[in-house]
Amino acid sequence: MAAVGSEKTGSAAVMAEGVATAQVAADLSSLVAAEVTRQVAALRSELDQAIAELRERTPEDRAALVVFSGDLDRVLAAFVIATGAAAAGLETSIFFTFWGLSALKKKGATVAGKGFKQRMFAAMTPAGTESLGTSKLNFFGMGAVMLRSMMKEQGIASLEELMAMARDLGVKLTACTMSMDAMGIAKEELLDGLGYGGVAAFMADASRARVALFI
Amino acid sequence: MAAVGSEKTGSAAVMAEGVATAQVAADLSSLVAAEVTRQVAALRSELDQAIAELRERTPEDRAALVVFSGDLDRVLAAFVIATGAAAAGLETSIFFTFWGLSALKKKGATVAGKGFKQRMFAAMTPAGTESLGTSKLNFFGMGAVMLRSMMKEQGIASLEELMAMARDLGVKLTACTMSMDAMGIAKEELLDGLGYGGVAAFMADASRARVALFI
Amino acid sequence: MAAVGSEKTGSAAVMAEGVATAQVAADLSSLVAAEVTRQVAALRSELDQAIAELRERTPEDRAALVVFSGDLDRVLAAFVIATGAAAAGLETSIFFTFWGLSALKKKGATVAGKGFKQRMFAAMTPAGTESLGTSKLNFFGMGAVMLRSMMKEQGIASLEELMAMARDLGVKLTACTMSMDAMGIAKEELLDGLGYGGVAAFMADASRARVALFI
């Protein structure tokens, strides 16, 4: 009886132990998982921070151009690069400043109430893409006519076609408001659908871009 | 008695098991720690290396400009961008080369012992910011006078004010020593507080910069 | 007997427990190892992906220049920067477009069958590095002669020496095919050993570069 009792007790203990062991095993798994998670969390957070710091300074898939020049050849180069960048998958923006604003002028738009100097500047700067001259060999516009004609013969897109292409590809065009103020250019004189901003707008794009060029 | 004995034995086993479980829990932490340390050390070292390689090539919060041009409008654009970059928190440097050195000339400084060609170059290039002409429509300085006057009317900072602002913002101005040699320009002719260096100095800044522009 | 029985039972339980604990300890080690392996693998894969995404956007040790200008001073600046970049360990490429192609012209090379406008353009643009003028103070070539002479006196490398140096340093020179088409320039007129490509070729280099400049 005692033997039976002890056997019973023994088997009860083994059973209890079996249950406890199963419980321990189950607990253990989650205990281990939790402890590993806890200990790995420190590493994860450390590396996440290192990666976040890099990410903040890693260029995005962007290109940002400044078009300072109002020369036909340079504006052409800018739009060839911009459409090339957009076609390569980069979010592309062009910031037009100083003489570059001439490329954004709406044909035939005039604004009343300009000062004398502003009117003089307007009279002496191109009134839209079709009046842009070349930076070299312009000869009062002959260089531009020749360049355009040679490009057409070769089936190369014109500036106006490139600008339309750029807009279709989602290239963002921004007019420099400080230059507009300095030169007395009103929004009504410029193309529709432009963005407006100062140097801060350009820096915001350029400092995140893979490619930033001053043209 | 046997039942009691077996109960006692049972509770002893549970107690022993409790101790063992506590021991297991204590062991677990150090076991996990050891295993995490072992396995994570490899991961950490591998990722640290990958991150270090990226970090070495990740742009710093810097902007680096080359001012090649000595035209008032382009030098103005450079300082607008430089102050904008510095205001946006970027450590900004401008490297002045070729014609750009004109913007750094101290008013009225002359140096003896120059060769004929150096004197001719000096005579024909602007002797400081106030003599800079515009790249277009300059008409022997009228363009610069008009541009300055139009900017003033609009409350836009003058080049001299922008240069002072740049210095206040900690923008580093460096004169290209190779250009100084080529053009026969001495340090005495340039503003105080400049840095001096060659292309290696520019590349050191530019290759770490978020934005590098040639103006 | 009962007591002995219970003692026996007790010691059996303790022994069984000892075995179980040893088993648990053994199991624990592999449990921990497995869990750490699992979690570390997850972390590794997560971080590897984050790092791969960054790496894809992190600049490589490259510099990419566009030489748009055909002015001696600007082409000189381009080659000074290119050799500086290559000397600093950057894989450097220069993309020559528009007027910049003049710098790549082989001396004395002529090609039959050009159209009138192409011949006019050829006649009015420099036929190689030795004919490049300066962007300022050129006076029909006098500026270039003076600049070259002043550089020589100072022991500064000439454009031709810089170009040879660039090639020795492995700088890749690419002629813009679209500009060649537009200006009617044939490969036979250009230096040997050039690459040929369009804007896509430039963007491929520039979007991976630490430094990209438009000159």
Side-chain angles (χ1 to χ4, degrees):
Chain A
M1 177 75 185
V4 170
S6 79
E7 263 173 22
K8 267 195 193 152
T9 313
S11 69
V14 167
M15 266 174 63
E17 184 177 274
V19 170
T21 302
Q23 185 58 42
V24 163
D27 285 357
L28 199 55
S29 261
S30 58
L31 206 62
V32 166
E35 183 61 17
V36 170
T37 301
R38 195 184 66 80
Q39 293 202 23
V40 163
L43 175 67
R44 176 192 301 269
S45 121
E46 180 191 316
L47 292 176
D48 276 354
Q49 196 182 332
I51 288 172
E53 270 168 30
L54 283 188
R55 183 176 290 124
E56 205 275 317
R57 290 191 287 115
T58 301
E60 299 174 11
D61 285 342
R62 287 174 182 279
L65 312 182
V66 190
V67 174
F68 172 92
S69 167
D71 297 324
L72 174 65
D73 41 3
R74 289 182 177 261
V75 176
L76 264 169
F79 276 99
V80 169
I81 292 173
T83 51
L90 304 185
E91 201 165 321
T92 305
S93 61
I94 317 182
F95 187 78
F96 293 83
T97 186
F98 280 78
W99 317 103
L101 286 172
S102 293
L104 298 182
K105 281 200 189 147
K106 203 185 277 177
K107 207 175 159 181
T110 51
V111 169
K114 284 201 181 193
F116 172 71
K117 279 171 288 202
Q118 281 73 21
R119 270 182 287 136
M120 261 188 73
F121 246 74
M124 292 185 311
T125 48
T129 53
E130 294 175 17
S131 328
L132 300 181
T134 52
S135 65
K136 298 271 166 187
L137 307 182
N138 193 45
F139 302 126
F140 304 98
M142 275 310 295
V145 170
M146 261 181 73
L147 180 59
R148 281 176 177 274
S149 146
M150 287 160 76
M151 286 175 65
K152 197 171 180 181
E153 282 171 18
Q154 296 296 325
I156 299 170
S158 70
L159 175 55
E160 291 72 21
E161 287 164 347
L162 280 166
M163 285 178 78
M165 212 184 295
R167 294 193 148 203
D168 286 348
L169 287 165
V171 173
K172 190 175 74 180
L173 309 183
T174 303
C176 170
T177 46
M178 194 189 92
S179 300
M180 289 171 64
D181 288 349
M183 293 179 162
I185 296 172
K187 287 189 184 183
E188 293 73 44
E189 297 174 76
L190 301 183
L191 299 175
D192 300 323
L194 301 176
Y196 293 91
V199 66
F202 168 67
M203 283 311 303
D205 281 347
S207 63
R208 295 181 296 160
R210 282 167 175 258
V211 185
L213 301 172
F214 184 97
I215 298 178
Chain B
M1 177 75 183
V4 171
S6 76
E7 264 173 22
K8 266 195 190 152
T9 312
S11 69
V14 168
M15 267 176 63
E17 182 178 277
V19 170
T21 302
Q23 185 57 42
V24 163
D27 286 355
L28 184 59
S29 243
S30 58
L31 198 63
V32 168
E35 184 61 19
V36 165
T37 300
R38 193 182 67 79
Q39 288 208 29
V40 154
L43 176 65
R44 177 192 300 270
S45 119
E46 184 190 315
L47 292 179
D48 277 355
Q49 195 182 332
I51 288 172
E53 270 168 29
L54 284 188
R55 184 176 288 124
E56 205 276 316
R57 290 189 288 116
T58 300
E60 298 173 10
D61 284 342
R62 289 173 181 278
L65 312 182
V66 190
V67 174
F68 172 91
S69 168
D71 296 325
L72 174 65
D73 41 2
R74 288 181 177 262
V75 176
L76 265 168
F79 276 99
V80 169
I81 292 173
T83 51
L90 304 185
E91 201 166 320
T92 304
S93 61
I94 316 182
F95 187 78
F96 293 83
T97 186
F98 280 79
W99 316 104
L101 287 172
S102 293
L104 298 182
K105 281 199 188 147
K106 204 186 274 175
K107 209 175 157 180
T110 50
V111 169
K114 284 202 182 195
F116 172 70
K117 279 171 290 203
Q118 281 72 24
R119 269 183 288 136
M120 260 188 72
F121 245 75
M124 292 186 310
T125 49
T129 54
E130 293 176 17
S131 328
L132 300 182
T134 51
S135 64
K136 298 270 165 188
L137 308 181
N138 194 45
F139 303 124
F140 304 97
M142 275 310 295
V145 170
M146 262 181 70
L147 180 60
R148 282 176 177 275
S149 147
M150 286 159 76
M151 286 175 65
K152 196 170 181 181
E153 283 171 16
Q154 296 296 325
I156 299 169
S158 70
L159 176 55
E160 291 71 23
E161 288 165 345
L162 280 166
M163 286 178 78
M165 212 185 294
R167 294 192 147 204
D168 287 348
L169 287 164
V171 173
K172 190 176 74 179
L173 309 183
T174 303
C176 170
T177 46
M178 194 189 92
S179 300
M180 290 172 64
D181 288 348
M183 292 179 163
I185 296 172
K187 287 188 183 184
E188 293 73 44
E189 297 173 76
L190 301 182
L191 299 175
D192 300 324
L194 300 177
Y196 293 92
V199 66
F202 168 67
M203 282 311 302
D205 281 348
S207 63
R208 295 182 295 160
R210 283 168 174 258
V211 185
L213 301 172
F214 184 97
I215 297 177
Chain C
M1 176 74 183
V4 172
S6 78
E7 263 173 22
K8 266 196 191 152
T9 312
S11 68
V14 167
M15 266 176 63
E17 182 178 273
V19 170
T21 303
Q23 185 56 42
V24 163
D27 286 355
L28 192 57
S29 264
S30 58
L31 193 64
V32 165
E35 182 62 17
V36 170
T37 301
R38 195 184 66 79
Q39 288 207 29
V40 161
L43 178 62
R44 176 193 302 267
S45 121
E46 182 190 315
L47 293 177
D48 276 354
Q49 197 182 332
I51 287 171
E53 271 167 29
L54 284 188
R55 183 176 290 124
E56 205 275 316
R57 290 190 287 115
T58 301
E60 298 173 10
D61 284 343
R62 290 174 180 278
L65 312 182
V66 190
V67 174
F68 171 92
S69 168
D71 296 325
L72 174 65
D73 41 2
R74 287 182 178 261
V75 176
L76 264 168
F79 276 98
V80 169
I81 292 174
T83 51
L90 303 186
E91 200 166 322
T92 305
S93 61
I94 317 182
F95 187 78
F96 292 83
T97 187
F98 279 80
W99 317 102
L101 286 172
S102 293
L104 298 182
K105 281 201 188 145
K106 204 185 274 176
K107 206 176 160 183
T110 51
V111 169
K114 284 202 181 194
F116 172 72
K117 280 172 288 202
Q118 281 72 24
R119 270 182 286 137
M120 262 189 73
F121 244 75
M124 294 186 311
T125 49
T129 54
E130 293 176 18
S131 327
L132 300 182
T134 52
S135 65
K136 298 271 166 189
L137 308 182
N138 193 47
F139 303 126
F140 304 97
M142 275 310 295
V145 170
M146 263 182 70
L147 180 60
R148 281 176 177 275
S149 146
M150 287 160 75
M151 286 175 66
K152 197 170 180 181
E153 283 172 17
Q154 296 295 325
I156 298 170
S158 70
L159 176 55
E160 290 73 21
E161 288 164 346
L162 280 167
M163 285 178 78
M165 211 184 294
R167 294 192 147 205
D168 287 349
L169 287 164
V171 173
K172 188 176 75 180
L173 308 183
T174 302
C176 169
T177 46
M178 195 189 91
S179 300
M180 289 172 64
D181 288 348
M183 293 178 162
I185 296 172
K187 288 190 181 182
E188 293 73 44
E189 297 173 75
L190 301 183
L191 299 174
D192 300 324
L194 301 177
Y196 292 91
V199 66
F202 168 67
M203 282 311 303
D205 282 349
S207 63
R208 296 182 295 162
R210 282 166 175 260
V211 185
L213 302 172
F214 184 98
I215 297 177

